[in-house]
């Protein structure tokens, strides 16, 4: 299928290169790091071969979220976004941008988001999980009230925030002791990101800002399949409940999921069954995954062609109205 729009496609800048953890074996990681820095020949050829006409680019994890100094986070985010704007401007029919945000300074993050959306033409923001603050042991999650002005501005600007994974804080890694093979995309990303999304839901954030849109990758980080049980048992939590509606309501009203890194038709069907086909979007998760593997699976998966068109590009067109009419 040609004409696909992909949302979770990562790049890197030389000044962040040393900060990417070794998510997989050294040889594969060298290749990933090389591809992260390439925004021209090889990436465009991969997109062409996979039928991806347009990629929304985001700074790879942890990016600005891993900067422990708030002042540096502000200047680094600004520089990264300016560089991304230049990369998009060089190929405006192939690339769009998600802003990197210095959430170490919530007020500065609001200003930077507004600048990226209104001046640089970005499609929203992608945040790599919690934000470090002061040191690598400490992280801030976005359900805290310090972020209410940020979410208020996100809603007012009408753009989505993509909640992308990162590994858990060192203090939360005890359960994985002796099992480094479970880190990253194998399992820790999923637990971390699904839990962060649940924190947003249970905080009452979406009661306060009902028009917020959050995107989750990897077909929803297991939440679509687990949501009934989570919502069912949460309803018994009495005085602990800070939210107003059944939790399932927020998944169906405030969340979209993408196919990034989860190329399995049964899981796709489960997400569609739970959330509706209008809330599922195509992505590959390049270069951690192969664009061709993602597309070979998606283009040939046993779903009907109406759904394939919606997931492949029509839903993205609706969610991001400023994607250029002519792409590819
Ligand atoms: Zn990713």
């Amino acid at each position: 299928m040609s004409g696909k729009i992909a949302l979770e496609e990562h790049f890197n800048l030389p000044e962040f290169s040393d900060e990417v953890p070794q998510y997989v074996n050294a040889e594969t990681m060298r290749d990933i790091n090389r591809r992260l820095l390439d925004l021209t020949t090889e990436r465009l050829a991969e997109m062409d071969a996979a039928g991806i006409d347009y990629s929304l680019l985001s700074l790879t994890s942890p990016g600005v979220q891993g900067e422990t100094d708030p002042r540096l986070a502000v200047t680094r985010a600004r520089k990264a976004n300016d560089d991304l704007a230049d990369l998009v401007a060089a190929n405006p029919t192939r690339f769009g941008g998600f802003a990197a945000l210095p959430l170490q300074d919530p007020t500065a993050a609001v200003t930077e988001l507004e600048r990226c959306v209104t001046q640089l033409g970005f499609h929203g923001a992608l945040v790599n999980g919690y934000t470090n603050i002061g040191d690598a042991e400490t992280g801030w999650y976005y359900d805290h009230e310090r972020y209410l002005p940020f979410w208020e501005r996100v809603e007012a600007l009408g753009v989505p925030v993509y909640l992308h994974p990162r590994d858990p804080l060192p203090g939360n890694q005890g359960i994985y002791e002796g099992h480094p093979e479970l880190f990253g995309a194998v399992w820790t990303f999923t637990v971390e990101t699904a839990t962060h999304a649940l924190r947003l839901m249970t905080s009452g954030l979406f009661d306060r800002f009902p028009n917020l849109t959050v995107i989750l990758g990897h077909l929803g980080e297991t939440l679509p399949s687990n949501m009934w049980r989570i919502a069912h048992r949460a309803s018994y939590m009495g005085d602990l409940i800070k939210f107003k509606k059944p939790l399932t309501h927020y998944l169906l009203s405030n969340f979209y999921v993408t196919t990034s890194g989860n190329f399995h038709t049964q899981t796709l069907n489960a997400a569609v069954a739970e959330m509706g086909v209008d809330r599922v979007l195509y992505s590959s998760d390049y270069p951690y995954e192969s664009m061709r593997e993602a597309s070979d699976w998606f283009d040939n998966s046993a779903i009907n062609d109406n759904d394939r068109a919606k997931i492949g590009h029509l839903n993205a067109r609706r969610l991001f109205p400023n994607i250029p009419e002519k792409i590819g």
Side-chain angles (χ1 to χ4, degrees):
M1 175 189 175
S2 62
K4 290 194 289 296
I5 296 171
L7 277 66
E8 194 188 314
E9 314 306 310
H10 305 300
F11 78 107
N12 206 1
L13 295 165
E15 61 266 34
F16 285 91
S17 270
D18 294 340
E19 298 165 31
V20 181
Q22 188 172 321
Y23 292 120
V24 290
N25 69 69
E27 189 187 343
T28 308
M29 209 58 224
R30 265 195 301 279
D31 185 52
I32 287 170
N33 280 319
R34 181 182 61 72
R35 289 171 184 266
L36 280 167
L37 294 168
D38 164 58
L39 273 294
T40 52
T41 46
E42 194 171 352
R43 185 180 297 249
L44 288 170
E46 294 278 350
M47 286 170 63
D48 290 341
I52 297 173
D53 279 9
Y54 194 79
S55 291
L56 270 74
L57 301 173
S58 51
L59 189 64
T60 195
S61 191
V64 173
Q65 266 59 68
E67 173 57 60
T68 56
D69 179 337
R71 278 186 307 174
L72 271 179
V74 173
T75 54
R76 296 186 82 191
R78 204 178 162 87
K79 160 93 169 46
N81 291 325
D82 285 343
D83 287 355
L84 176 55
D86 289 343
L87 294 165
V88 170
N91 275 299
T93 63
R94 306 308 303 273
F95 296 137
F98 276 134
L101 294 179
L103 288 150
Q104 295 84 345
D105 179 340
T107 306
V110 170
T111 305
E112 185 60 8
L113 175 69
E114 178 132 10
R115 184 181 83 91
C116 288
V117 172
T118 62
Q119 294 176 34
L120 303 183
F122 286 3
H123 299 287
L126 181 141
V127 295
N128 290 307
Y130 61 85
T131 280
N132 283 119
I133 184 80
D135 57 48
E137 318 283 319
T138 311
W140 281 351
Y141 290 83
Y142 310 132
D143 54 296
H144 193 277
E145 62 182 25
R146 69 170 68 88
Y147 290 114
L148 291 177
F150 166 73
W151 290 115
E152 185 177 22
R153 191 64 58 93
V154 171
E155 186 185 54
L157 288 166
V159 292
V161 168
Y162 202 121
L163 184 60
H164 184 270
R166 68 177 296 189
D167 272 325
L169 285 162
N172 292 335
Q173 294 181 7
I175 193 172
Y176 305 109
E177 192 181 353
H179 289 273
E181 73 280 5
L182 290 175
F183 274 75
V186 176
W187 183 240
T188 60
F189 280 178
T190 305
V191 175
E192 180 69 24
T193 313
T195 307
H196 200 163
L198 289 171
R199 289 178 67 124
L200 298 181
M201 291 183 207
T202 56
S203 71
L205 178 68
F206 301 108
D207 297 314
R208 208 183 265 255
F209 305 117
N211 295 315
L212 278 180
T213 296
V214 175
I215 305 173
L216 297 173
H218 316 106
L219 286 171
E221 314 289 3
T222 71
L223 286 179
S225 299
N226 287 325
M227 208 61 214
W228 185 87
R229 175 165 162 81
I230 295 167
H232 171 62
R233 295 308 308 180
S235 70
Y236 291 98
M237 286 303 191
D239 291 347
L240 298 179
I241 294 176
K242 300 188 284 282
F243 49 93
K244 295 200 171 119
K245 300 197 164 130
L247 287 179
T248 312
H249 170 86
Y250 307 118
L251 185 72
L252 299 185
S253 306
N254 300 101
F255 284 79
Y256 283 74
V257 301
T258 78
T259 63
S260 65
N262 204 340
F263 314 139
H264 190 57
T265 306
Q266 288 89 331
T267 316
L268 171 64
N269 285 335
V272 169
E274 187 69 29
M275 299 179 67
V277 69
D278 290 345
R279 290 194 169 265
V280 182
L281 302 142
Y282 180 78
S283 290
S284 75
D285 205 355
Y286 183 83
Y288 297 96
E289 302 284 350
S290 150
M291 287 191 215
R292 286 183 221 210
E293 186 182 351
S295 290
D296 283 348
W297 160 71
F298 179 73
D299 295 355
N300 299 301
S301 61
I303 60 175
N304 70 64
D305 284 342
N306 266 348
D307 287 1
R308 203 183 325 273
K310 283 186 170 186
I311 298 167
H313 66 112
L314 296 178
N315 292 342
R317 288 271 182 199
R318 198 180 64 248
L319 189 56
F320 305 104
N322 60 335
I323 290 178
E325 204 167 309
K326 271 182 91 73
I327 54 174

